[in-house]
Amino acid sequence: MRPLPVGEHGLLIELDSAEQVEALHAELLRRAADGTLPPVGEMVPAARTVLLDGLADPRGLAAALATWDVPPLAAADRPTVTIPVRYDGPDLADVAALWDVTPDEVVRLHSGTAFHVAFCGFAPGFGYLTGLPRQLHVPRRATPRTRVPVGAVALAGPYTGVYPRSSPGGWQLIGTTDTVLWDPAREPAALLAPGTRVRFVPQEHAGPHVPQEPAA
Amino acid sequence: MTDRAVSVVRAGALTTVQDLGRPGHAHLGVPRAGALDAPAHRFANRLVGNAETAATLETTLTGCALRVRTATTVAVTGAPCPVTVDGRPAPWGAPVRVPAGAVLEAGAATHGLRAYLAFAGGIDAETVLGSRATDLLSGLGPAPLADGTVLPLGRPQGPPAAVDAVPHPGPAAELVLPFLPGPRDTWFTDTGLRTLITGRFRVSAASNRIGLRTEGPPLERARTGELPSEGMPLGALQVPPNGLPVLFLHDHPTTGGYPVIGVVPERHLAPAAQAAPGTPVRFVRMHRPPGGADRADAPTS
């Protein structure tokens, strides 16, 4: 655990693995909930780091962190979200070729994986989901699409993600969901938060899909 | 439709609704947003008797014009600009009573970039995650103003300030940005760090509410490649592969994969809101005092 200074009021805590990030993030949330963490403005877990900003005394916290005993995270500690997917994405065949399996096997492997949200970013409600084994990591598209539809289920690098709204994007699209990832009128607005467990469930294709933009 | 409203006669180049933003949601990918020149936003609100959390309008370079439906107290702050009511000159940086049906115009900025228009009661746009601010990165909050847009006003909260003695200097000819090195300053050579401090940079025309881009000598990297995505703070000096630092402003993405060589403390960010393209930029290294808690040390060069 290496705390790096960020401006006057921040710390970037660097860790060796995504698992350590998740465990530290859970510990930080636990301490925030029981009132033993000093007030924090933003707490942003990412691939190998947790950013803490808005701290009154970042050096004091950095010193205290070194004395913490951070237990590894148990999967049962986190909520699980189930997302129904029609595996009808335009890149399904390409992903099948990269994995050297049939498209049906892509569906089986992807829906059989226990994902969790490593971190969020890119757009409100967009979660970077990890869980695919290394041999199933795929590159981004050589040419990004100018428009990826809302609800697209996509792969890139070690991550799976679901586009919360239509946007440009370079990820490999393998399916579509009607699940609303981001709705500011809902509490919580984001379906996926760091640490959330996610399961994708194959859904039979039922007629042409009309993408719905969430209410602005 | 309520009478307490303003309608947009001339939206200007880019006019958005802003308040103090929606901090605390970065972990969900939600940018801070909010007024880039927060002191000017607060000042405008004080002048019309609003809480500093009330929403104002933030213009860009060319100002804007609005028709008020009921008599309202307004104030224009930020970038100095000619203020008129139905074509007659009115004071900048002071409360102005605008009669019902009259057109308030903030003209093109004579210095700086962004003016703030406060109305007694504030712009009563719908809140998203506790804020009325327009976020241009993720599209949260009200859309940028267009000609004909009607914006409701809230109920006036307090008496307008009779006199506000806070001096409000116009933007400087040079943008000075004090920064603390890190967290990824070790990704740059000593030469790269020296280039940041001694190089002649200018504000790029490609700047916006997401980031202030610079033109100047590229910073030399000590290591190549990208970082795994990590959290990005407000005020980050992120250095993309072209080597030219980008100062992350309020609509910045909450995570990113390019190294951050230093961070400009939030209290030094307001001048960046007023630096027009072409303005010279000087980066000044701040020093952390040895031991103990960080103090707000004065910038030293």
Side-chain angles (χ1 to χ4, degrees):
Chain A
M1 185 148 60
R2 290 169 300 281
L4 303 169
V6 175
E8 288 179 331
H9 300 293
L11 282 181
L12 184 71
I13 306 161
E14 198 171 38
L15 298 132
D16 293 327
S17 69
E19 291 71 29
Q20 287 182 14
V21 169
E22 207 187 352
L24 176 65
H25 181 235
E27 180 67 18
L28 286 161
L29 291 177
R30 227 175 353 253
R31 289 176 184 247
D34 70 18
T36 57
L37 187 72
V40 178
E42 304 280 2
M43 186 190 300
V44 188
R48 289 289 181 274
T49 56
V50 180
L51 172 69
L52 300 173
D53 205 2
L55 297 165
D57 178 14
R59 286 188 189 193
L61 184 60
L65 277 170
T67 69
W68 287 15
D69 181 28
V70 179
L73 198 67
D77 293 352
R78 295 302 179 90
T80 299
V81 166
T82 301
I83 297 179
V85 181
R86 290 180 302 280
Y87 283 92
D88 57 2
D91 303 329
L92 186 65
D94 288 356
V95 170
L98 287 163
W99 287 4
D100 198 20
V101 298
T102 64
D104 283 349
E105 189 66 3
V106 172
V107 174
R108 198 188 65 77
L109 287 166
H110 190 258
S111 61
T113 301
F115 290 97
H116 75 271
V117 181
F119 58 97
C120 298
F122 170 63
F126 186 91
Y128 290 80
L129 277 55
T130 53
L132 283 176
R134 181 171 293 273
Q135 66 272 20
L136 299 186
H137 297 179
V138 295
R140 291 160 176 263
R141 307 286 303 171
T143 307
R145 290 185 169 84
T146 53
R147 186 178 175 281
V148 173
V150 59
V153 177
L155 307 180
Y159 303 116
T160 286
V162 184
Y163 283 76
R165 62 185 177 124
S166 141
S167 67
W171 290 30
Q172 311 270 2
L173 311 185
I174 61 168
T176 318
T177 181
D178 295 328
T179 301
V180 177
L181 276 288
W182 172 259
D183 177 0
R186 182 176 69 190
E187 177 57 39
L191 181 69
L192 306 180
T196 305
R197 309 277 143 184
V198 180
R199 282 277 183 180
F200 294 97
V201 177
Q203 192 183 29
E204 288 309 308
H205 189 78
H209 172 57
V210 182
Q212 303 282 313
E213 293 280 352
Chain B
M1 178 72 65
T2 170
D3 275 353
R4 289 205 53 77
V6 294
S7 54
V8 179
V9 175
R10 181 178 68 82
L14 173 66
T15 303
T16 58
V17 177
Q18 295 298 338
D19 55 19
L20 298 179
R22 42 184 77 83
H25 302 283
H27 61 290
L28 301 177
V30 176
R32 164 96 67 106
L36 293 192
D37 187 342
H41 160 87
R42 289 190 164 98
F43 182 35
N45 271 329
R46 276 205 307 280
L47 289 172
V48 301
N50 288 347
E52 63 183 26
T53 52
T56 62
L57 298 179
E58 179 183 279
T59 70
T60 313
L61 198 57
T62 61
C64 70
L66 306 130
R67 187 181 299 280
V68 305
R69 294 197 174 171
T70 48
T72 306
T73 301
V74 306
V76 182
T77 67
C81 61
V83 178
T84 60
V85 175
D86 276 344
R88 287 187 295 278
W92 175 93
V96 175
R97 189 73 181 164
V98 180
V103 173
L104 165 74
E105 175 145 35
T110 54
H111 315 283
L113 209 49
R114 296 181 170 94
Y116 292 83
L117 281 66
F119 301 82
I123 302 289
D124 193 19
E126 213 171 310
T127 60
V128 177
L129 300 177
S131 167
R132 297 181 170 88
T134 299
D135 165 3
L136 294 178
L137 181 74
S138 57
L140 300 184
L145 269 55
D147 293 354
T149 301
V150 175
L151 297 164
L153 299 180
R155 301 193 69 78
Q157 294 161 341
V163 178
D164 196 312
V166 176
H168 197 70
E174 181 186 48
L175 176 63
V176 177
L177 294 171
F179 73 97
L180 283 159
R184 300 295 179 189
D185 49 323
T186 57
W187 279 55
F188 297 85
T189 63
D190 288 346
T191 305
L193 197 57
R194 208 171 321 120
T195 302
L196 179 63
I197 295 162
T198 60
R200 298 165 70 91
F201 293 89
R202 286 183 181 278
V203 176
S204 158
S207 302
N208 54 28
R209 285 185 43 86
I210 296 166
L212 181 142
R213 292 171 186 277
T214 61
E215 291 163 355
L219 310 187
E220 186 179 271
R221 288 263 290 258
R223 42 192 297 192
T224 54
E226 283 187 32
L227 287 158
S229 274
E230 62 189 29
M232 290 283 143
L234 178 64
L237 289 173
Q238 198 198 49
V239 185
N242 69 6
L244 298 176
V246 178
L247 172 65
F248 272 11
L249 300 178
H250 288 55
D251 290 0
H252 74 85
T254 59
T255 59
Y258 299 130
V260 171
I261 191 169
V263 176
V264 178
E266 187 176 346
R267 63 200 167 89
H268 294 302
L269 283 180
Q274 300 298 355
T279 303
V281 183
R282 190 155 55 93
F283 295 99
V284 177
R285 181 179 180 156
M286 299 166 70
H287 292 275
R288 289 189 172 78
D294 281 355
R295 276 186 298 277
D297 52 338
T300 53
S301 46

